[in-house]
């Protein structure tokens, strides 16, 4: 992949893709090396416990991908799949037992949980030392103070992607669309730590395009397929598309994917849907300099950073960091 340094003259035009797969692979190889070293020194492997409740198909796929990544890097994993109908007390009991086990380094609870279980209560019950998703209030508080902590995996992965692609952050105008706890807010904290001038937009932002058009670096995490188009993007900007939306209809595919539409329609015919981000790729490519694709962009980095956080938890818990 070309780096930004190789293309200093590149401004607007046909955006180049930032390849999440290549960078996720680099991160996983780094973690695999650390796991080998940890094994050699401690004679134990880091262990991630993944907890899932109910029958949500997407959650099952996400957890399966995380377990698979553990196998790839040599991290031991446990999959606790609790049936639909599990109540909060039962879930809290499981987390308490995982908290107390010396051989478990990281705990992740796959969200969303069934509606009757309060997610905050569950997240708050995870031992902050094992909070590899970085969602616990202690982790969020430390992040907002600029102190070392577990950083939520998606925004942490985006920083890795930018840095490993030689895209400058310091001094740029960065704009984040979306203010969720898992993406928008921690993303803002990380970009601020990296000396960007940060603006956060949300559903009540007035005249969104006039704000986003100021951004050298635009991160979009709203959950609305192809919402961000030509009018939102500054020529030459870097556009990071976090959204993952299932598309099933031909009209939307044609609107978003241009020359790639037929390939995407074939995916729908085979699988029932195709994934689109929150950015309209056809329009973004006319103005941006760099763009992350969906799929193949940010999503892969999220899992890679979970591996890194689990490795970090194992070292921290043994006083090695
Ligand atoms: P949430 O639903 O928690 O938050 C969405 C945010 O977008 C809210 O802050 C909301 O504003 C804002 N928003 C919604 N509509 C608009 C609009 N029209 N204009 C401006 N802002 C708007 O979403 P998440 O952060 O959890 O996820 C966002 C997307 O990213 C989803 O598609 C999700 O699937 C994907 N995702 C991908 C990950 C990956 O690994 N690639 C990881 C996590 C998420 P308000 O606060 O005012 O309601």
């Amino acid at each position: 992949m070309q780096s930004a340094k190789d293309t200093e003259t590149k401004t607007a035009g046909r955006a180049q893709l930032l390849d999440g797969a290549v960078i996720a692979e680099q991160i996983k190889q780094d973690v695999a090396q650390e796991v080998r070293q940890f094994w050699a020194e401690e004679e134990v492997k880091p262990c991630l416990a993944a907890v899932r409740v109910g029958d949500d198909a997407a959650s099952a796929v996400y957890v399966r991908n995380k377990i698979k990544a553990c196998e790839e890097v040599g991290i031991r994993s446990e999959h606790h799949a609790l049936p639909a109908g599990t109540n909060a007390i039962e879930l809290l009991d499981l987390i308490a037992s995982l908290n107390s086990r010396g051989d478990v380094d990281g705990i992740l609870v796959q969200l969303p949980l069934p509606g009757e279980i309060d997610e905050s209560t569950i997240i708050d019950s995870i031992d902050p030392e094992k909070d590899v998703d970085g969602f616990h209030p202690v982790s969020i508080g430390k992040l907002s103070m600029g102190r070392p902590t577990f950083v939520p995996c998606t925004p942490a992965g985006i920083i890795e992607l930018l840095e490993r692609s030689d895209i400058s952050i310091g001094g740029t105008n960065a704009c984040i669309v979306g203010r969720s706890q898992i993406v928008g807010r921690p993303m803002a904290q990380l970009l601020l730590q990296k000396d960007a001038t940060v603006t956060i937009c949300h559903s009540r932002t007035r005249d969104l395009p006039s704000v986003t058009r100021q951004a050298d670096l635009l991160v979009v995490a709203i959950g609305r397929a192809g919402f961000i188009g030509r009018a939102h993007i500054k020529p030459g900007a870097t556009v990071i598309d976090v959204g993952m939306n299932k598309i099933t209809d031909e009209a939307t595919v044609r609107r978003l994917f241009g020359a790639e539409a037929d390939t995407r329609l074939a995916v729908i015919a085979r699988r029932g849907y195709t994934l689109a981000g929150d950015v309209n790729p056809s329009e973004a490519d006319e103005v941006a300099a760099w763009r992350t694709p969906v799929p193949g962009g940010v999503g892969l980095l999220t899992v890679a950073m979970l591996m890194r956080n689990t490795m970090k938890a194992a070292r921290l818990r043994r006083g090695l960091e």
Side-chain angles (χ1 to χ4, degrees):
M1 187 177 58
Q2 269 184 312
S3 82
K5 278 184 187 151
D6 302 328
T7 56
E8 276 169 1
T9 52
K10 178 129 181 58
T11 50
R14 191 82 208 150
Q16 296 194 42
L17 294 182
L18 292 164
D19 192 337
V22 169
I23 293 187
E25 198 47 47
Q26 289 170 2
I27 296 167
K28 283 197 280 183
Q29 281 177 16
D30 292 350
V31 175
Q33 171 60 32
E34 284 181 55
V35 171
R36 283 193 291 273
Q37 194 179 337
F38 186 76
W39 169 253
E41 289 165 7
E42 301 292 312
E43 296 184 342
V44 65
K45 288 185 172 179
C47 174
L48 175 68
V51 180
R52 180 169 69 82
V53 183
D55 306 320
D56 182 59
S59 292
V61 172
Y62 292 145
V63 170
R64 209 162 51 234
N65 288 342
K66 291 167 185 178
I67 302 280
K68 186 165 157 272
C70 285
E71 285 162 10
E72 283 169 30
V73 302
I75 287 176
R76 202 161 64 76
S77 64
E78 292 180 3
H79 184 182
H80 299 267
L82 305 183
T86 299
N87 64 34
I89 306 282
E90 291 162 325
L91 185 51
L92 288 169
D93 279 350
L94 172 61
I95 292 172
S97 86
L98 296 171
N99 281 342
S100 65
R101 275 177 48 192
D103 63 325
V104 171
D105 296 298
I107 301 170
L108 87 83
V109 177
Q110 186 64 45
L111 303 178
L113 291 169
E116 58 281 8
I117 300 179
D118 177 46
E119 289 185 353
S120 300
T121 307
I122 303 302
I123 299 297
D124 291 2
S125 74
I126 296 172
D127 180 346
E129 285 193 356
K130 301 187 180 188
D131 176 36
V132 287
D133 263 339
F135 296 162
H136 192 283
V138 168
S139 306
I140 293 170
K142 285 183 176 171
L143 178 64
S144 69
M145 296 167 83
R147 284 164 51 178
T149 186
F150 293 111
V151 176
C153 300
T154 302
I158 291 169
I159 296 290
E160 283 288 326
L161 176 76
L162 294 170
E163 292 190 333
R164 290 182 189 235
S165 307
D166 284 335
I167 290 178
S168 322
I169 302 175
T172 59
N173 285 333
C175 179
I176 301 146
V177 191
R179 55 177 164 180
S180 70
Q181 294 291 352
I182 62 172
V183 187
R185 287 169 199 246
M187 187 77 253
Q189 294 293 349
L190 289 177
L191 290 170
L192 194 59
Q193 277 175 26
K194 298 282 177 187
D195 299 323
T197 302
V198 180
T199 306
I200 308 177
C201 299
H202 45 76
S203 66
R204 303 294 299 275
T205 299
R206 286 194 193 139
D207 193 4
L208 183 69
S210 73
V211 183
T212 55
R213 258 199 322 267
Q214 307 301 314
D216 307 302
L217 177 56
L218 180 60
V219 182
V220 188
I222 57 177
R224 301 188 60 174
F227 182 81
I228 296 290
R230 189 187 293 109
H232 296 86
I233 300 170
K234 178 179 177 178
T238 298
V239 179
I240 305 294
D241 190 356
V242 183
M244 288 205 291
N245 308 289
K246 284 187 179 177
I247 304 297
T248 53
D249 69 292
E250 179 170 352
T252 309
V253 169
R254 297 235 175 259
R255 179 171 67 84
L256 299 183
F257 295 112
E260 206 200 318
D262 287 339
T263 317
R264 294 297 192 125
L265 289 170
V267 173
I268 295 178
R270 204 171 57 243
R271 197 200 286 157
Y273 68 90
T274 186
L275 279 183
D278 293 338
V279 175
N280 180 323
S282 303
E283 293 192 12
D285 285 355
E286 292 170 17
V287 254
W290 298 91
R291 176 177 69 80
T292 56
V294 179
V298 171
L300 300 165
L301 293 160
T302 301
V303 178
M305 295 310 286
L306 178 68
M307 299 301 107
R308 184 194 265 184
N309 276 356
T310 304
M311 182 66 246
K312 177 175 167 172
R315 293 181 61 80
L316 276 171
R317 292 182 62 243
R318 290 164 182 82
L320 300 173
E321 289 223 357

